[in-house]
Each structure stands twice: as structure tokens, then as C-alpha cells.
Amino acid sequence: MNRVYLDNAATTPVSEAVLEKMLPYFRQQYGNASSVYQTGREARRAIDEARRQAAAAINAKPAEVYFTGGGSESDNWAIKGAAFARRDKGNHIITTSIEHHAVLHTCQWLEKQGFEVTYLPVDEYGRVTAQQVEQAITDRTILLSIMAANNEIGTLEPIADIAKVAHEHKVLFHTDAVQAFGSVPVDVEAWGVDMLTLSAHKFHGPKGVGLLYIRQGTRLDNLVHGGAQERGRRAGTENLAGIVGMAQAMEIAAANQQENSRRISALRDRLIQGILHSILDVRLNGHPEDRLPGNVNVSIRYIEGEAMLLRLDLAGIAASSGSACTSGSLDPSHVLLAIGLPHEIAHGSLRFSLSDESTQADVDAVLTLLPPIVQTLRDMSPIYPKKEV
């Protein structure tokens, strides 16, 4: 059975070009970049080149790029580092109610350390406005952290507008751009952000490596202590192969972003329209236009997302649900609740996320298999309104 993979927001396969670039750094050029002999110097040169590649892909300076262990670490470093570095100026942080848990849980932890956090509400599409942000800023506000694109519903936020407000009030601005990079243009100068998070495995790079962009002059406490790596700001022997792979993946993703986004958007729209036309009582979640090219998130009434996921998996289709069932929680997605969905509708949500490797045949497979799966589950549902014979 040919499997259809449509969960690229969770992770993507490492591309052949990235894997080829990485392989020598496991066996031939395996040196520790902190060593002074030739093998170590070769490793240092590889990291320096990777830093230049990564910086160019987001229009940053190489000195502003710091490699980390992934997106969650980068989010933690940006938020905790900025909060403690600026504690003498204030203790107020602003974020949104739909952030990734790497941001939300970090903010919740900081509340236990004496910081105050405002969690801004979003509209029915998952958007927050620059005006909302400005109204929430006080003379004690030291940091904003607002994602560029939502990982569940795909909505794009007005990052440049928010950054402008932040700088007018002399507040640091961090954005989690993990889902955005490779799908939309990511330019730290055009956006005006002070810090930005990326994770390699979201755009055909390896898992376990990410980066944090830190604008020059931004004061940030260290998160990981113990060594002088990353110019004394992030201790730990560098993940040489991972860093090289991430930089290569960034270069490829940035170069192909416009063409890939055009093609993927067409597949996305075909999938959305097909689902809405073939299944009754379906709601599209997220902004209808300002959304990631590869994101399709729908709520299908009267049945649960987990049941649909299991049947799709048996049919050879990998997707994800808006429900947190698989993590042991009975609560639906915090994002879907934040956009105003009642629990029973939020529980019936599916997310399909496409990449540049997705095809029309993948979309057609979903449109062929999903409607009968939905009908079968609805026929079994005690809450589905049955037609009288």
C-alpha cells in the first residue's frame, strides 16, 4: 500500500541533498570545532560557513545566528533570556493564547518566578492585531512573543506591524517562525524582529537542531551554561552534521520558497474545496486567505478527530487531529478553543499539512477516502441527526 504523508507540520523527511551534505560530518570530518588541530579547524570552518548560509536565508548577519538543539530550546532561550536580562526594567510579558506550548509553558513558568504575562485573545480566524498589542503594553512591559504562523490552523500574523509597535514602545519582540520558514518569505530586517526561532526538521532538515536569531545589541541571559560554544552564549559541543544540514536545508527552502508556495497553495485549495463540497457540516479553521500554503484544518461535526485519524491511518493516510487525545488529555486543542469553537466541534478536527513533496494524487486520495470514513463514523454516532425513513 502506498502511504500518503500529510503531516508535514509535525515533521518533514530529510531531503536527499541535505542528507548528502551531512554524511561526511559523521565519519570523515567529525572533528570538535573547539579543538585547535586540523580536524577541529575543519569543523569550525564548516560551522562558520553554515552560519553564513543560515544568515543569508533570513537576511541576517552571521553574528546574529546561534545554533540550538531545536525550536523549543530557541523559544525558551529567547523568552527566559530576555525576561531575566531585562528584569530591572520591568516584569511584564505579552503573548497570545494560541502560541506553541514551547512559548506558553515557558511563560507560565515565568509567572511562577514573579513575572506577569498577558495572553492576548485572537479573533475567529486566530489573528491578533497590532492595536491589541499596543493596548496591552504598559510601562513594565519588557517582551512580546507572538508566532509568525500558527502550527495548527495555519493563520499568518501581522508580524511587521507588531514589531513596529514594539519598537515604538522600546519592547523586545520575539517571533516563533518555526512553521513560517520555507512557506512564506522570512526576512528579519523586513519584519523588524529582535529574535526569531527556527527548527530544521520543519523544512526537510534534520531533527534536533534549530537556531535563534538575536539582533545585534540585544541583551539576553544564557539558557545553557558550561562552555564557550556559540561565542560564549550557548554551551555544548556543536551538532556539526545537524548544523551543516540545517543550513543546507535553509538555503534550498529559501531559494525555492516562492515556486513551492504557489504549487502547494493550489493543492491546499483543491483539498479544502473538495472537503467542503463532499462532506456536510464542515468548518474550515484558520484565516481563509492569510494562511500557510500547506495548511488545511477542518472541523467535522458529530464525530471525533481521533476516530477519523485511526481510520485514515488504516487507509494509508497520515494526518493529525486538533484534539490532544494522543497525549493523554481529554481536552481539545487550545488553539481551536481560543478561536471560539465549542468542545464538541473542536474534538472533531483534522489537520492535513502539505509540503513540496505532496502531490495531486495525495489530495485525491484524501478526497476519495475521507467522505466514506466520515459517513461510516456518523452512522455510528449517537449524536448524528439521522434522516427519517
Side-chain angles (χ1 to χ4, degrees):
M1 176 174 60
N2 292 325
R3 295 197 61 84
V4 173
Y5 183 76
L6 293 178
D7 197 19
N8 290 279
T11 196
T12 57
V14 174
S15 73
E16 289 293 338
V18 169
L19 180 60
E20 184 179 346
K21 188 70 178 282
M22 292 173 65
L23 284 175
Y25 295 94
F26 289 107
R27 291 288 297 170
Q28 287 82 41
Q29 296 169 268
Y30 52 83
N32 186 321
S34 297
S35 301
V36 297
Y37 43 78
Q38 182 178 342
T39 307
R41 293 197 303 274
E42 290 172 352
R44 173 55 54 201
R45 283 195 293 271
I47 291 174
D48 289 344
E49 174 56 27
R51 204 181 308 278
R52 284 190 289 273
Q53 276 183 286
I58 57 173
N59 193 25
K61 302 179 181 69
E64 297 173 318
V65 169
Y66 296 85
F67 292 110
T68 70
S72 293
E73 182 191 324
S74 294
D75 283 343
N76 272 258
W77 184 12
I79 296 169
K80 292 176 183 176
F84 286 109
R86 294 170 63 85
R87 199 168 194 172
D88 58 330
K89 299 181 182 298
N91 70 336
H92 181 226
I93 299 167
I94 299 172
T95 187
T96 76
S97 56
I98 63 166
E99 299 296 313
H100 189 279
H101 283 128
V103 170
L104 290 179
H105 289 174
T106 300
C107 288
Q108 290 161 6
W109 180 84
L110 284 171
E111 287 183 280
K112 297 177 183 177
Q113 316 307 313
F115 289 89
E116 296 179 6
V117 181
T118 296
Y119 300 91
L120 293 174
V122 294
D123 66 16
E124 63 180 311
Y125 301 122
R127 296 198 87 182
V128 66
T129 67
Q131 290 76 21
Q132 278 179 275
V133 172
E134 187 161 35
Q135 290 168 4
I137 292 175
T138 73
D139 59 1
R140 300 289 294 166
T141 305
I142 54 176
L143 175 66
L144 302 177
S145 182
I146 296 175
M147 66 194 337
N150 187 264
N151 51 302
E152 293 192 33
I153 61 175
T155 296
L156 303 174
E157 303 294 345
I159 295 302
D161 293 341
I162 294 170
K164 183 178 179 182
V165 167
H167 295 155
E168 287 173 353
H169 293 270
K170 295 182 172 54
V171 175
L172 284 182
F173 182 33
H174 162 253
T175 188
D176 180 330
V178 164
Q179 292 291 335
F181 184 80
S183 294
V184 298
V186 174
D187 183 322
V188 295
E189 291 300 326
W191 281 2
V193 296
D194 299 300
M195 295 175 287
L196 179 141
T197 293
L198 296 181
S199 185
H201 74 104
K202 303 297 187 180
F203 43 85
H204 301 298
K207 297 175 181 66
V209 59
L211 69 74
L212 180 63
Y213 159 79
I214 306 173
R215 184 177 292 277
Q216 283 186 322
T218 301
R219 192 159 55 95
L220 211 63
D221 280 8
N222 287 2
L223 179 67
V224 180
H225 302 86
Q229 291 86 359
E230 291 303 285
R231 303 186 297 287
R233 301 188 76 168
R234 195 268 185 184
T237 300
E238 296 92 345
N239 176 1
L240 179 57
I243 288 170
V244 168
M246 179 173 193
Q248 182 72 6
M250 288 181 69
E251 183 173 271
I252 294 169
N256 298 325
Q257 181 269 315
Q258 188 172 9
E259 174 58 25
N260 284 341
S261 294
R262 182 195 62 77
R263 192 183 71 82
I264 296 168
S265 293
L267 291 176
R268 175 203 65 193
D269 293 343
R270 176 181 171 86
L271 181 53
I272 290 173
Q273 293 306 315
I275 291 173
L276 295 180
H277 286 145
S278 61
I279 304 172
L280 297 176
D281 294 315
V282 177
R283 170 200 160 101
L284 175 67
N285 298 317
H287 199 283
E289 297 171 356
D290 293 332
R291 69 186 302 128
L292 289 171
N295 177 280
V296 177
N297 188 304
V298 291
S299 292
I300 301 176
R301 294 191 65 183
Y302 309 116
I303 49 179
E304 293 190 349
E306 185 179 25
M308 288 185 282
L309 270 188
L310 293 173
R311 292 195 175 229
L312 284 169
D313 184 40
L314 289 173
I317 296 174
S320 65
S321 172
S323 167
C325 303
T326 52
S327 67
S329 169
L330 296 178
D331 294 329
S333 155
H334 69 286
V335 174
L336 298 180
L337 296 181
I339 63 174
L341 295 192
H343 278 62
E344 64 272 16
I345 294 179
H347 266 305
S349 297
L350 288 176
R351 181 190 69 184
F352 299 98
S353 46
L354 296 79
S355 79
D356 56 296
E357 295 187 1
S358 301
T359 65
Q360 185 167 308
D362 294 339
V363 170
D364 290 344
V366 174
L367 295 179
T368 298
L369 295 168
L370 182 59
I373 287 174
V374 170
Q375 192 57 53
T376 298
L377 292 171
R378 281 178 169 173
D379 289 341
M380 298 166 57
S381 171
I383 62 172
Y384 179 56
K386 308 293 193 297
K387 294 181 180 179
E388 294 185 8
V389 180

